[in-house]
């Protein structure tokens, strides 16, 4: 799988160091609040598991599953929620965990939907944020790493559902994405 990467961006020790820092920040901010973490699956699975084990607070955890990419390396702009009911979050402080802030469309849709469930507050935590002009303005309160506008895989992030199990994050070779987008 390494052969399909242009380069590795963040190896395991780099990810672990950053998770330690993020967890400390979150722990400080939520020390006296009723925290509900809402993780977006499947992509934030590794991030969620590794981050939450570093946050010794009495939090509750819910997961949302959305489809926003439809298997390709470009956003379609449409976000489909795969579950019928929203978690019960009235009066709770919500922290949304997601893999990456790209166009912003997915997180804008998720935040909008969760707002209808009347939580006390909503914050967003992403592992990665691409430096780019976004289609929807979304401000992440906690960001693991800022990256250039390149397609990355690993540590939960996929291309055509592959590469999620890589323990590091790398930039996918552009030819692989181009080949896929040329298919009918
Ligand atoms: P959005 O464009 O901000 O709505 O991002 C939607 C989703 O697309 C993200 O949560 C990721 O799961 C996926 N995505 C965006 N950029 C990348 C990338 O570089 N690699 C893998 N998945 C990505
Ligand atoms: Mg994906």
């Amino acid at each position: 799988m390494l052969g399909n990467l242009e380069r590795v961006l963040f190896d395991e020790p780099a990810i672990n160091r950053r998770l330690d820092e993020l967890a400390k920040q979150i722990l400080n901010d939520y020390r006296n609040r009723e925290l509900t973490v809402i993780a977006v699956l499947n992509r934030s699975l590794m991030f969620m598991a590794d981050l939450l084990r570093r946050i010794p607070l009495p939090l509750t955890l819910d997961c949302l599953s959305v489809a926003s990419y439809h298997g390709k390396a470009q956003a379609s702009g449409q976000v489909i929620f795969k579950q019928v009911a929203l978690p019960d979050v009235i009066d709770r402080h919500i922290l949304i965990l997601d893999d990456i802030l790209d166009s912003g469309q997915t997180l804008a849709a998720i935040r909008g939907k969760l707002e209808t469930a009347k939580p006390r507050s909503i914050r967003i935590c992403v592992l990665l944020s691409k430096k780019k002009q976004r289609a929807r303005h979304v401000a992440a309160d906690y960001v693991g790493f800022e990256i250039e506008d390149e397609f990355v895989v690993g540590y939960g992030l996929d291309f055509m559902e592959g590469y999620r199990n890589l323990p590091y994050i790398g930039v996918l070779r552009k030819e692989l994405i181009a080949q896929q987008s040329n298919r009918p």
Side-chain angles (χ1 to χ4, degrees):
M1 282 199 286
L2 246 179
N4 290 345
L5 297 187
E6 213 168 88
R7 64 188 191 283
V8 172
L9 274 186
F10 306 108
D11 61 10
E12 279 187 86
I15 294 173
N16 284 331
R17 277 195 303 273
R18 188 65 189 122
L19 290 186
D20 285 343
E21 293 169 356
L22 270 185
K24 231 181 247 165
Q25 218 183 326
I26 294 169
L27 188 58
N28 268 330
D29 293 353
Y30 287 92
R31 213 172 270 289
N32 299 309
R33 300 198 207 171
E34 300 225 41
L35 176 60
T36 294
V37 173
I38 301 200
V40 186
L41 297 183
N42 300 326
R43 58 219 199 186
S44 69
L45 201 71
M46 318 283 171
F47 179 42
M48 169 189 76
D50 289 344
L51 182 71
L52 293 189
R53 275 179 290 184
R54 289 170 159 85
I55 304 178
L57 285 178
L59 55 82
T60 59
L61 173 64
D62 275 291
C63 295
L64 279 184
S65 190
V66 298
S68 48
Y69 252 51
H70 312 293
K72 297 222 173 178
Q74 310 162 337
S76 67
Q78 202 191 1
V79 178
I80 299 159
F81 288 81
K82 293 189 185 163
Q83 49 273 104
V84 192
L86 279 177
D88 182 13
V89 292
I90 291 183
D91 271 349
R92 309 253 337 166
H93 294 284
I94 292 181
L95 181 63
I96 302 172
L97 289 191
D98 206 355
D99 58 348
I100 188 166
L101 191 48
D102 184 16
S103 73
Q105 304 195 89
T106 311
L107 275 168
I110 292 173
R111 190 178 57 192
K113 186 124 182 166
L114 286 171
E115 271 162 5
T116 66
K118 305 262 180 282
R120 187 163 293 187
S121 71
I122 300 185
R123 283 189 186 175
I124 293 176
C125 174
V126 288
L127 176 64
L128 304 170
S129 171
K130 288 189 189 175
K131 292 184 217 157
K132 67 190 285 188
Q133 192 79 31
R134 304 195 203 291
R136 298 280 305 270
H137 173 74
V138 181
D141 303 277
Y142 307 94
V143 175
F145 303 100
E146 298 251 15
I147 62 167
E148 298 303 323
D149 190 9
E150 297 180 296
F151 198 82
V152 294
V153 293
Y155 197 68
L157 290 120
D158 76 301
F159 176 60
M160 305 293 292
E161 294 302 325
Y163 307 95
R164 288 197 203 273
N165 57 327
L166 290 180
Y168 43 82
I169 298 165
V171 177
L172 194 65
R173 279 175 40 210
K174 298 200 177 41
E175 313 88 84
L176 292 172
I177 300 171
Q179 272 165 22
Q180 190 52 47
S181 339
N182 290 339
R183 285 196 198 160

